[in-house]
Amino acid sequence: MQLIDTHVHLNFDVFTPDMEAIRSRWHAAGVIALVHSCVEPAEFASIQALAQQFPELSFAVGLHPLDANKWTPEMALEIKTLASNNAKVVAIGEMGLDFYKADNSELQRHVFTEQLAIAEYLNLPVIIHCRDAAVQMRELLAGKNRQVRGVMHCWSGTPEETQWFLDLGFYISFSGIVTFKNAKTIHESAKMVPSDRLLIETDCPFLSPVPKRGERRNEPAYVRYVADQVAHLRGETVEAIAAQTTQNACKLFGLSLPGM
C-alpha cells in the first residue's frame, strides 16, 4: 500500500534530533512521497535542503495568512523567482485566509490575491489555509474568472462549504482532525467528497491523529491513521483510499512516481 502525505512541515526544530528515524517510519508506513508546505519564503533554504536530502519530498513556496504583515512587493517577486527556478516546487502556499483571531482581514485578502496571481502566472496549484473565512474565500476564488486549481488543506468546513469548493474545482484534504470523535461535521464532509478530489495529510508536527493524539509531535507515518478513518467513514477499504489519494496527489501536484 502506497500513501502520500500532502502537507508536512518537517523543517521545524522539533524534527531535527531524529529525522532519519522519522523517515524510516514513514517508509515503513508506506509513505512514498510528501509535499512540504511553506509558512514564509525565508523557510525556502531549509525546505530545499530537506528536498535534496529526501528525493521523495517535493515542496511549495508562499506566505501563510497569519504572517500577512510580512508581505512586501519584493516578496511577490521572490516567491515567483524561487518557484520558477526549482523543479521540486510543485505549488504556491500555504496561503489563504485565517480570520479566527485576525484584525487584518483586508491585508490578508490582498496578500492572498497577490499569491493567486503568481500561481496563475506559473500554472502551479495552490495550497489553501482557510479558517473561519469560507464565505470570503469562496468570493475571492470565484471572482475575476480565475483559472486557479489547488487544495483546501486540513479541511474542517461544513458539507455545504465543502460543496462550494468542490464546485470551484478544488481538492479537499483531510488531516488528523478527521479521526477525532467529536468532529462530526468533518466526518460528514469526508463522506461526500468525490473520490477523484480526495487527499490526505498530517499537517505535522500539528494535529496528531487518534490513536496518537496524546503525542505532541505528529509525523508523516501517521497519515496511515487518517487514511484508515477516511476509509471507515466512506465504507471503503484503506487500500482503495490509499490508491485513490495517491493518484489524486500525483495529478494535482504533477508528481512522478515509479509505475504511475
Side-chain angles (χ1 to χ4, degrees):
M1 185 173 68
Q2 297 180 328
L3 296 160
I4 295 180
D5 187 347
T6 60
H7 199 104
V8 302
H9 296 276
L10 294 175
N11 64 323
F12 286 17
D13 290 344
V14 68
F15 291 113
T16 303
D18 57 341
M19 183 62 76
E20 286 296 340
I22 293 166
R23 187 195 194 194
S24 294
R25 288 194 291 272
W26 82 56
H27 282 169
V31 177
I32 57 169
L34 310 93
V35 178
H36 200 300
S37 198
C38 180
V39 174
E40 60 175 306
E43 291 186 308
F44 191 88
S46 64
I47 299 172
Q48 184 178 29
L50 286 169
Q52 291 172 340
Q53 183 179 359
F54 305 131
E56 64 269 38
L57 184 71
S58 301
F59 61 104
V61 58
L63 185 69
H64 192 284
L66 294 180
D67 290 297
N69 62 336
K70 298 179 181 179
W71 183 261
T72 64
E74 292 76 21
M75 188 176 286
L77 178 60
E78 180 184 12
I79 291 172
K80 186 182 294 185
T81 301
L82 292 171
S84 300
N85 294 334
N86 192 304
K88 297 207 76 174
V89 174
V90 296
I92 303 299
E94 65 188 276
M95 52 190 281
L97 302 174
D98 190 321
F99 295 164
Y100 179 61
K101 293 183 179 179
D103 56 5
N104 63 344
S105 59
E106 287 304 316
L107 177 60
Q108 285 193 35
R109 287 184 178 91
H110 170 72
V111 173
F112 180 63
T113 56
E114 289 284 297
Q115 292 184 89
L116 284 178
I118 294 170
E120 288 181 284
Y121 178 80
L122 296 176
N123 192 28
L124 286 173
V126 292
I127 298 173
I128 292 183
H129 172 108
C130 180
R131 188 175 188 189
D132 288 3
V135 172
Q136 298 88 342
M137 178 65 69
R138 180 192 190 190
E139 292 172 352
L140 289 174
L141 290 174
K144 300 182 180 178
N145 297 313
R146 295 195 181 280
Q147 300 298 312
V148 67
R149 66 193 191 283
V151 55
M152 308 301 295
H153 111 87
C154 194
W155 185 242
S156 59
T158 66
E160 179 184 14
E161 292 165 347
T162 302
Q163 191 61 53
W164 293 350
F165 298 106
L166 290 171
D167 290 344
L168 289 168
F170 277 75
Y171 290 72
I172 308 294
S173 181
F174 294 96
S175 69
I177 301 174
V178 78
T179 70
F180 298 172
K181 181 179 179 181
N182 294 327
K184 302 300 185 184
T185 297
I186 301 171
H187 296 169
E188 293 306 310
S189 291
K191 294 176 185 178
M192 64 173 286
V193 175
S195 293
D196 63 354
R197 301 280 198 83
L198 185 66
L199 294 172
I200 54 176
E201 63 175 86
T202 57
D203 198 14
C204 64
F206 312 108
L207 303 172
S208 295
V210 175
K212 302 292 186 177
R213 192 174 180 184
E215 297 186 12
R216 297 187 65 181
R217 186 185 72 177
N218 195 4
E219 61 177 79
Y222 298 168
V223 77
R224 167 62 190 262
Y225 300 115
V226 179
D228 285 337
Q229 173 68 352
V230 171
H232 171 72
L233 291 168
R234 294 168 67 90
E236 302 179 40
T237 65
V238 68
E239 290 80 9
I241 292 297
Q244 184 67 64
T245 55
T246 294
Q247 178 181 330
N248 294 346
C250 289
K251 182 177 180 180
L252 177 61
F253 295 115
L255 307 179
S256 297
L257 301 177
M260 298 192 70

